[in-house]
Amino acid sequence: MKIEAYTVPTDLEEAYQLLQKEDAGIIAGGAWLKLLPKTLVHGIDLSGLKLDTINETEENYTIGSMVTLRQIETHSSLRTYMGGVLQEAISHIMGVPIRNIATIGGTVAGRYGFSDLLTPLLALRANLVFYKKGQITLESYLKEAPKEKDILLQVIIKKEYGKANYTTVKKTANDFPILNVSVMKIGTHFRVAVGARPSVATLATKTMAYLNESKALTEEVIEKAAAIAVEEIKFGSNARGSKAYRTQLCKVLVERGIKEVAYENTN
Ligand SMILES: Cc1cc2nc3c(=O)[nH]c(=O)nc-3n(C[C@H](O)[C@H](O)[C@H](O)COP(=O)(O)OP(=O)(O)OC[C@H]3O[C@@H](n4cnc5c(N)ncnc54)[C@H](O)[C@@H]3O)c2cc1C
């Protein structure tokens, strides 16, 4: 990547106005950007905007967009939240040096199909706060990114108590996932998210509705839920795996995920 003019604004409005210029773009950790054969006429580094902290209240975690993946996986309580589901997902992303640089903001804004982190964030029903657009759900952002250029300020996770599972399948530890699945049980309600299909993570809404309406969680119900998941989710093929392989993987991972979270309800 080539940057022609590099700015580190200390004021959000200044950063936003710069971003509206043609060929202007945000630089978070630069971890992904630097791999791209791209020229940024105006590179806007967000590191002067104090967006690099995690604030915890009784209700929420508010994660600044410049918080690194490493900050999340080592945070005193976020790392164990919901059985450590975020730490587990992040632990599969390259090594610590990359995780010290890559940010949650760059991960969300990139809307990467291969993401390990977006899948559990989706199941956690994370919300996003943008400078101009305000608050939107991660779910709606992943379905359709807003057309206007904006700055992601925060990712908000509402605290809930339950059990969560995350499984990613990779050919080698440092590769992108072939498929990943996160299943959560909050009270009596299930959530199922599937990522690296290879397109971006999505909630398996029909599967969730079926599980939540089922009176007893029998072996047959779990099998049927997994069958609904592979029916409702669209899979594709790429260099890492075929559509048929992903479909099989999804069925197995959804079944296993449901079983893992089904029988306990602890934080
Ligand atoms: C070699 C390598 C391997 C990787 N492997 C994996 C993997 O296996 N699994 C996985 O989940 N991830 C993987 N990643 C991705 C990584 O986890 C990060 O998601 C990614 O690198 C984002 O980097 P960054 O935070 O430095 O963002 P940048 O590279 O700085 O920016 C990424 C994009 O987001 C935009 N952006 C950044 N912040 C904001 C903001 N606040 N508001 C609006 N737009 C913004 C930028 O303009 C840019 O378009 C890998 C990354 C690398 C470099």
Side-chain angles (χ1 to χ4, degrees):
M1 184 183 61
K2 199 174 154 209
I3 304 168
E4 290 185 356
Y6 176 77
T7 316
V8 190
T10 50
D11 176 74
L12 267 171
E13 183 59 25
E14 182 196 348
Y16 178 78
Q17 291 306 333
L18 271 172
L19 183 61
Q20 304 316 308
K21 292 190 176 177
E22 209 184 328
D23 294 327
I26 289 171
I27 304 167
W32 190 254
L33 272 179
K34 78 184 285 252
L35 303 177
L36 305 179
K38 189 172 171 178
T39 297
L40 271 185
V41 177
H42 301 280
I44 305 155
D45 182 335
L46 299 187
S47 61
L49 294 169
K50 300 188 170 67
L51 297 171
D52 58 351
T53 55
I54 300 173
N55 291 314
E56 181 182 4
T57 63
E58 278 188 16
E59 290 83 32
N60 298 312
Y61 290 103
T62 302
I63 308 171
S65 62
M66 288 294 280
V67 164
T68 65
L69 304 187
R70 186 69 182 156
Q71 275 175 273
I72 297 172
E73 70 173 329
T74 56
H75 184 264
S76 55
S77 81
L78 202 44
R79 75 192 160 94
T80 56
Y81 176 61
M82 289 283 275
V85 69
L86 295 178
Q87 186 193 47
E88 170 62 19
I90 290 170
S91 74
H92 293 282
I93 300 173
M94 296 296 286
V96 169
I98 291 275
R99 306 204 294 261
N100 269 328
I101 296 168
T103 64
I104 191 164
T107 298
V108 169
R111 303 166 82 244
Y112 308 110
F114 58 75
S115 178
D116 282 288
L117 184 54
L118 289 177
T119 309
L121 280 179
L122 195 55
L124 287 170
R125 292 211 186 276
N127 280 294
L128 311 177
V129 181
F130 284 87
Y131 179 55
K132 287 290 169 185
K133 197 177 171 63
Q135 192 159 323
I136 60 169
T137 63
L138 173 65
E139 186 185 2
S140 65
Y141 182 71
L142 293 185
K143 276 189 185 146
E144 194 178 355
K147 291 186 180 53
E148 311 78 36
K149 286 166 125 186
D150 205 344
I151 304 170
L152 174 63
L153 302 180
Q154 294 162 340
V155 176
I156 300 178
I157 298 172
K158 187 175 176 299
K159 281 189 182 170
E160 296 173 301
Y161 295 93
K163 205 162 178 234
N165 146 288
Y166 177 76
T167 314
T168 187
V169 176
K170 301 189 175 200
K171 282 187 176 169
T172 62
N174 283 344
D175 200 1
F176 294 139
I178 301 171
L179 192 88
N180 56 45
V181 171
S182 184
V183 181
M184 297 188 185
K185 187 171 178 235
I186 318 284
T188 55
H189 276 72
F190 285 89
R191 292 187 202 145
V192 180
V194 180
R197 309 173 281 128
S199 25
V200 77
T202 184
L203 284 172
T205 49
K206 289 182 186 163
T207 311
M208 285 154 51
Y210 172 74
L211 283 168
N212 295 337
E213 282 156 16
S214 298
K215 291 203 168 53
L217 202 68
T218 60
E219 196 71 36
E220 292 71 38
V221 166
I222 295 172
E223 265 178 40
K224 173 112 191 270
I228 295 172
V230 297
E231 189 67 35
E232 71 169 313
I233 290 168
K234 289 196 171 60
F235 301 97
S237 301
N238 67 2
R240 288 180 177 77
S242 66
K243 180 177 173 178
Y245 184 52
R246 285 191 162 93
T247 308
Q248 282 305 312
L249 267 183
C250 182
K251 197 163 179 297
V252 173
L253 298 187
V254 168
E255 271 192 44
R256 282 188 197 160
I258 296 169
K259 285 179 185 167
E260 199 179 310
V261 301
Y263 306 113
E264 275 178 62
N265 194 11
T266 55
N267 182 22

Short mmCIF file of all heavy atoms in Angstrom, two decimals, residues 26-33 35 46 65 69 92-94 98 101-103 105-107 109-110 112 114-117 150-152 170 175-177, ligand 1:
data_model
loop_
_atom_site.label_atom_id
_atom_site.label_comp_id
_atom_site.label_asym_id
_atom_site.label_seq_id
_atom_site.Cartn_x
_atom_site.Cartn_y
_atom_site.Cartn_z
N ILE A 26 -9.47 5.14 5.98
CA ILE A 26 -9.05 5.01 7.38
C ILE A 26 -7.97 3.95 7.51
O ILE A 26 -8.03 2.90 6.86
CB ILE A 26 -10.28 4.63 8.24
CG1 ILE A 26 -11.21 5.84 8.35
CG2 ILE A 26 -9.87 4.13 9.62
CD1 ILE A 26 -12.54 5.52 8.98
N ILE A 27 -7.00 4.24 8.37
CA ILE A 27 -5.99 3.24 8.73
C ILE A 27 -6.20 2.92 10.21
O ILE A 27 -6.18 3.81 11.05
CB ILE A 27 -4.56 3.79 8.54
CG1 ILE A 27 -4.37 4.29 7.10
CG2 ILE A 27 -3.52 2.73 8.89
CD1 ILE A 27 -3.10 5.12 6.92
N ALA A 28 -6.44 1.64 10.51
CA ALA A 28 -6.56 1.23 11.92
C ALA A 28 -5.20 0.68 12.32
O ALA A 28 -4.25 1.44 12.53
CB ALA A 28 -7.69 0.23 12.08
N GLY A 29 -5.04 -0.65 12.37
CA GLY A 29 -3.72 -1.21 12.62
C GLY A 29 -2.89 -1.24 11.33
O GLY A 29 -1.67 -1.38 11.37
N GLY A 30 -3.58 -1.18 10.19
CA GLY A 30 -2.91 -1.28 8.90
C GLY A 30 -2.54 -2.72 8.55
O GLY A 30 -1.92 -2.97 7.52
N ALA A 31 -2.93 -3.66 9.40
CA ALA A 31 -2.51 -5.06 9.21
C ALA A 31 -3.00 -5.63 7.88
O ALA A 31 -2.25 -6.28 7.16
CB ALA A 31 -3.01 -5.92 10.38
N TRP A 32 -4.25 -5.37 7.56
CA TRP A 32 -4.80 -5.89 6.31
C TRP A 32 -4.50 -4.95 5.16
O TRP A 32 -4.11 -5.37 4.07
CB TRP A 32 -6.32 -6.12 6.45
CG TRP A 32 -6.85 -6.86 5.28
CD1 TRP A 32 -7.61 -6.37 4.26
CD2 TRP A 32 -6.62 -8.25 4.98
NE1 TRP A 32 -7.87 -7.36 3.35
CE2 TRP A 32 -7.28 -8.52 3.77
CE3 TRP A 32 -5.93 -9.29 5.62
CZ2 TRP A 32 -7.27 -9.78 3.18
CZ3 TRP A 32 -5.92 -10.54 5.02
CH2 TRP A 32 -6.58 -10.78 3.83
N LEU A 33 -4.65 -3.65 5.43
CA LEU A 33 -4.45 -2.64 4.37
C LEU A 33 -3.08 -2.77 3.71
O LEU A 33 -2.95 -2.62 2.51
CB LEU A 33 -4.56 -1.24 4.98
CG LEU A 33 -5.95 -0.61 5.07
CD1 LEU A 33 -5.84 0.76 5.72
CD2 LEU A 33 -6.58 -0.49 3.69
N LEU A 35 -1.37 -5.13 2.98
CA LEU A 35 -1.24 -6.23 2.01
C LEU A 35 -1.85 -5.86 0.66
O LEU A 35 -1.64 -6.56 -0.32
CB LEU A 35 -1.94 -7.49 2.54
CG LEU A 35 -1.48 -8.03 3.89
CD1 LEU A 35 -2.33 -9.24 4.27
CD2 LEU A 35 -0.01 -8.42 3.84
N LEU A 46 -6.37 6.53 12.85
CA LEU A 46 -7.30 6.83 13.96
C LEU A 46 -6.64 6.79 15.33
O LEU A 46 -7.32 6.94 16.35
CB LEU A 46 -8.47 5.83 13.95
CG LEU A 46 -9.37 5.79 12.71
CD1 LEU A 46 -10.56 4.87 12.97
CD2 LEU A 46 -9.87 7.18 12.33
N SER A 65 -13.04 1.17 18.70
CA SER A 65 -12.73 0.51 17.42
C SER A 65 -11.23 0.26 17.23
O SER A 65 -10.83 -0.61 16.47
CB SER A 65 -13.27 1.33 16.25
OG SER A 65 -12.65 2.59 16.22
N LEU A 69 -6.99 -6.96 18.84
CA LEU A 69 -7.51 -8.30 19.16
C LEU A 69 -6.82 -8.83 20.42
O LEU A 69 -7.42 -9.50 21.24
CB LEU A 69 -7.27 -9.25 17.99
CG LEU A 69 -7.85 -8.81 16.64
CD1 LEU A 69 -7.70 -9.92 15.61
CD2 LEU A 69 -9.31 -8.41 16.77
N HIS A 92 -7.32 -18.18 17.22
CA HIS A 92 -7.10 -18.86 15.94
C HIS A 92 -6.64 -17.89 14.84
O HIS A 92 -6.50 -18.30 13.68
CB HIS A 92 -8.38 -19.57 15.49
CG HIS A 92 -8.76 -20.71 16.38
ND1 HIS A 92 -8.14 -21.94 16.32
CD2 HIS A 92 -9.66 -20.79 17.39
CE1 HIS A 92 -8.67 -22.74 17.24
NE2 HIS A 92 -9.58 -22.06 17.91
N ILE A 93 -6.47 -16.61 15.19
CA ILE A 93 -6.07 -15.64 14.17
C ILE A 93 -4.56 -15.43 14.22
O ILE A 93 -4.03 -14.81 15.16
CB ILE A 93 -6.80 -14.29 14.37
CG1 ILE A 93 -8.32 -14.51 14.27
CG2 ILE A 93 -6.34 -13.27 13.34
CD1 ILE A 93 -9.16 -13.30 14.62
N MET A 94 -3.87 -15.98 13.26
CA MET A 94 -2.41 -15.85 13.14
C MET A 94 -1.73 -16.01 14.51
O MET A 94 -2.10 -16.86 15.29
CB MET A 94 -2.05 -14.51 12.50
CG MET A 94 -2.53 -14.36 11.06
SD MET A 94 -1.78 -15.55 9.92
CE MET A 94 -0.15 -14.87 9.75
N ILE A 98 0.53 -10.33 15.06
CA ILE A 98 -0.57 -9.77 14.23
C ILE A 98 -1.71 -9.32 15.15
O ILE A 98 -2.31 -8.26 14.95
CB ILE A 98 -1.10 -10.83 13.22
CG1 ILE A 98 -0.06 -11.12 12.14
CG2 ILE A 98 -2.44 -10.40 12.60
CD1 ILE A 98 -0.04 -10.18 10.96
N ILE A 101 -1.62 -5.92 16.51
CA ILE A 101 -1.78 -4.82 15.55
C ILE A 101 -3.22 -4.73 15.06
O ILE A 101 -3.80 -3.65 14.99
CB ILE A 101 -0.83 -5.04 14.34
CG1 ILE A 101 0.63 -4.99 14.79
CG2 ILE A 101 -1.08 -4.01 13.25
CD1 ILE A 101 1.59 -5.48 13.73
N ALA A 102 -3.79 -5.88 14.70
CA ALA A 102 -5.14 -5.90 14.11
C ALA A 102 -6.16 -5.45 15.15
O ALA A 102 -6.08 -5.81 16.32
CB ALA A 102 -5.47 -7.30 13.62
N THR A 103 -7.13 -4.66 14.70
CA THR A 103 -8.12 -4.06 15.60
C THR A 103 -9.51 -4.65 15.38
O THR A 103 -9.80 -5.23 14.33
CB THR A 103 -8.21 -2.55 15.36
OG1 THR A 103 -8.70 -2.35 14.01
CG2 THR A 103 -6.86 -1.86 15.52
N GLY A 105 -12.07 -2.70 15.05
CA GLY A 105 -12.66 -1.80 14.04
C GLY A 105 -12.33 -2.25 12.63
O GLY A 105 -13.20 -2.32 11.76
N GLY A 106 -11.05 -2.59 12.40
CA GLY A 106 -10.63 -3.05 11.07
C GLY A 106 -11.28 -4.38 10.72
O GLY A 106 -11.58 -4.66 9.56
N THR A 107 -11.55 -5.19 11.73
CA THR A 107 -12.19 -6.49 11.52
C THR A 107 -13.64 -6.32 11.11
O THR A 107 -14.12 -6.94 10.16
CB THR A 107 -12.09 -7.32 12.83
OG1 THR A 107 -10.71 -7.54 13.11
CG2 THR A 107 -12.83 -8.65 12.71
N ALA A 109 -15.14 -3.40 10.01
CA ALA A 109 -15.28 -2.59 8.79
C ALA A 109 -14.87 -3.39 7.55
O ALA A 109 -15.39 -3.17 6.47
CB ALA A 109 -14.45 -1.32 8.91
N GLY A 110 -13.93 -4.33 7.73
CA GLY A 110 -13.49 -5.14 6.59
C GLY A 110 -14.57 -6.11 6.13
O GLY A 110 -14.57 -6.54 4.99
N TYR A 112 -14.87 -9.17 6.52
CA TYR A 112 -14.19 -10.28 5.85
C TYR A 112 -14.98 -11.58 5.97
O TYR A 112 -15.38 -11.97 7.08
CB TYR A 112 -12.80 -10.49 6.46
CG TYR A 112 -11.97 -9.23 6.50
CD1 TYR A 112 -11.68 -8.61 7.71
CD2 TYR A 112 -11.49 -8.64 5.32
CE1 TYR A 112 -10.94 -7.44 7.75
CE2 TYR A 112 -10.76 -7.47 5.37
CZ TYR A 112 -10.49 -6.88 6.58
OH TYR A 112 -9.77 -5.71 6.62
N PHE A 114 -13.75 -14.43 5.74
CA PHE A 114 -12.93 -15.42 6.45
C PHE A 114 -12.83 -15.17 7.95
O PHE A 114 -12.14 -15.89 8.66
CB PHE A 114 -11.51 -15.46 5.85
CG PHE A 114 -10.80 -14.12 5.91
CD1 PHE A 114 -10.29 -13.64 7.10
CD2 PHE A 114 -10.66 -13.36 4.76
CE1 PHE A 114 -9.65 -12.41 7.16
CE2 PHE A 114 -10.01 -12.13 4.80
CZ PHE A 114 -9.51 -11.65 6.01
N SER A 115 -13.51 -14.16 8.45
CA SER A 115 -13.26 -13.75 9.84
C SER A 115 -13.61 -14.82 10.88
O SER A 115 -14.67 -15.44 10.83
CB SER A 115 -14.06 -12.48 10.15
OG SER A 115 -13.84 -12.11 11.50
N ASP A 116 -12.71 -14.97 11.84
CA ASP A 116 -12.99 -15.83 13.00
C ASP A 116 -13.79 -15.06 14.05
O ASP A 116 -14.58 -15.65 14.78
CB ASP A 116 -11.67 -16.29 13.64
CG ASP A 116 -11.03 -17.43 12.86
OD1 ASP A 116 -11.56 -18.54 12.91
OD2 ASP A 116 -10.01 -17.19 12.18
N LEU A 117 -13.57 -13.75 14.15
CA LEU A 117 -14.17 -12.98 15.24
C LEU A 117 -15.61 -12.56 14.96
O LEU A 117 -16.43 -12.47 15.88
CB LEU A 117 -13.30 -11.74 15.52
CG LEU A 117 -13.71 -10.85 16.69
CD1 LEU A 117 -13.84 -11.64 17.99
CD2 LEU A 117 -12.69 -9.72 16.87
N ASP A 150 -18.04 6.47 6.80
CA ASP A 150 -18.24 6.85 8.21
C ASP A 150 -17.14 6.20 9.05
O ASP A 150 -16.42 5.32 8.58
CB ASP A 150 -19.63 6.37 8.67
CG ASP A 150 -20.18 7.19 9.83
OD1 ASP A 150 -19.40 7.91 10.48
OD2 ASP A 150 -21.39 7.08 10.10
N ILE A 151 -17.05 6.64 10.29
CA ILE A 151 -16.02 6.10 11.18
C ILE A 151 -16.69 5.23 12.24
O ILE A 151 -17.57 5.71 12.97
CB ILE A 151 -15.23 7.24 11.88
CG1 ILE A 151 -14.63 8.18 10.83
CG2 ILE A 151 -14.14 6.68 12.79
CD1 ILE A 151 -14.05 9.46 11.43
N LEU A 152 -16.28 3.99 12.32
CA LEU A 152 -16.77 3.11 13.38
C LEU A 152 -16.07 3.51 14.68
O LEU A 152 -14.83 3.55 14.73
CB LEU A 152 -16.48 1.65 13.04
CG LEU A 152 -16.81 0.63 14.13
CD1 LEU A 152 -18.31 0.60 14.44
CD2 LEU A 152 -16.35 -0.77 13.71
N LYS A 170 -9.63 -25.22 10.04
CA LYS A 170 -8.62 -24.67 9.14
C LYS A 170 -7.71 -25.79 8.66
O LYS A 170 -7.49 -26.75 9.40
CB LYS A 170 -7.77 -23.62 9.87
CG LYS A 170 -8.57 -22.46 10.44
CD LYS A 170 -7.68 -21.34 10.97
CE LYS A 170 -8.53 -20.17 11.41
NZ LYS A 170 -7.81 -18.90 11.48
N ASP A 175 -3.95 -20.61 8.63
CA ASP A 175 -4.72 -20.38 7.40
C ASP A 175 -6.05 -19.69 7.75
O ASP A 175 -6.43 -19.59 8.92
CB ASP A 175 -4.99 -21.72 6.71
CG ASP A 175 -5.33 -21.55 5.24
OD1 ASP A 175 -5.34 -20.40 4.75
OD2 ASP A 175 -5.61 -22.57 4.58
N PHE A 176 -6.76 -19.24 6.72
CA PHE A 176 -8.13 -18.76 6.92
C PHE A 176 -9.03 -19.97 7.16
O PHE A 176 -8.73 -21.07 6.70
CB PHE A 176 -8.62 -18.02 5.67
CG PHE A 176 -7.89 -16.75 5.38
CD1 PHE A 176 -7.54 -16.42 4.08
CD2 PHE A 176 -7.55 -15.87 6.39
CE1 PHE A 176 -6.87 -15.24 3.80
CE2 PHE A 176 -6.89 -14.69 6.12
CZ PHE A 176 -6.54 -14.38 4.82
N PRO A 177 -10.16 -19.77 7.84
CA PRO A 177 -11.04 -20.91 8.10
C PRO A 177 -11.71 -21.45 6.83
O PRO A 177 -11.99 -20.70 5.90
CB PRO A 177 -12.11 -20.33 9.03
CG PRO A 177 -11.74 -18.94 9.33
CD PRO A 177 -10.66 -18.52 8.40
C1 LIG B 1 -1.65 -12.11 7.33
C2 LIG B 1 -3.02 -11.99 7.93
C3 LIG B 1 -3.76 -13.13 8.21
C4 LIG B 1 -5.02 -13.03 8.79
N1 LIG B 1 -5.72 -14.17 9.10
C5 LIG B 1 -6.93 -14.08 9.69
C6 LIG B 1 -7.65 -15.24 10.09
O1 LIG B 1 -7.25 -16.38 9.89
N2 LIG B 1 -8.86 -15.06 10.70
C7 LIG B 1 -9.36 -13.82 10.94
O2 LIG B 1 -10.43 -13.71 11.52
N3 LIG B 1 -8.70 -12.71 10.57
C8 LIG B 1 -7.51 -12.81 9.95
N4 LIG B 1 -6.86 -11.66 9.58
C9 LIG B 1 -7.56 -10.36 9.67
C10 LIG B 1 -7.32 -9.64 10.99
O3 LIG B 1 -7.91 -10.38 12.03
C11 LIG B 1 -7.95 -8.23 10.97
O4 LIG B 1 -9.35 -8.35 10.85
C12 LIG B 1 -7.49 -7.38 9.81
O5 LIG B 1 -6.11 -7.53 9.65
C13 LIG B 1 -7.83 -5.91 10.07
O6 LIG B 1 -6.64 -5.23 10.33
P1 LIG B 1 -6.59 -3.79 11.00
O7 LIG B 1 -7.41 -3.77 12.22
O8 LIG B 1 -5.16 -3.43 11.11
O9 LIG B 1 -7.36 -2.87 9.95
P2 LIG B 1 -6.75 -2.06 8.71
O10 LIG B 1 -5.94 -2.98 7.86
O11 LIG B 1 -6.10 -0.81 9.15
O12 LIG B 1 -8.11 -1.66 7.98
C14 LIG B 1 -8.96 -2.64 7.40
C15 LIG B 1 -10.16 -1.95 6.73
O13 LIG B 1 -11.05 -1.44 7.71
C16 LIG B 1 -11.24 -0.02 7.55
N5 LIG B 1 -11.35 0.52 8.92
C17 LIG B 1 -10.52 0.25 9.95
N6 LIG B 1 -10.95 0.83 11.08
C18 LIG B 1 -12.09 1.49 10.76
C19 LIG B 1 -13.01 2.29 11.51
N7 LIG B 1 -12.86 2.51 12.83
N8 LIG B 1 -14.08 2.81 10.87
C20 LIG B 1 -14.28 2.57 9.54
N9 LIG B 1 -13.44 1.83 8.77
C21 LIG B 1 -12.35 1.30 9.38
C22 LIG B 1 -10.00 0.45 6.80
O14 LIG B 1 -10.23 1.65 6.09
C23 LIG B 1 -9.76 -0.74 5.87
O15 LIG B 1 -10.63 -0.68 4.77
C24 LIG B 1 -5.58 -11.74 9.05
C25 LIG B 1 -4.83 -10.59 8.77
C26 LIG B 1 -3.56 -10.69 8.23
C27 LIG B 1 -2.78 -9.43 7.97
#
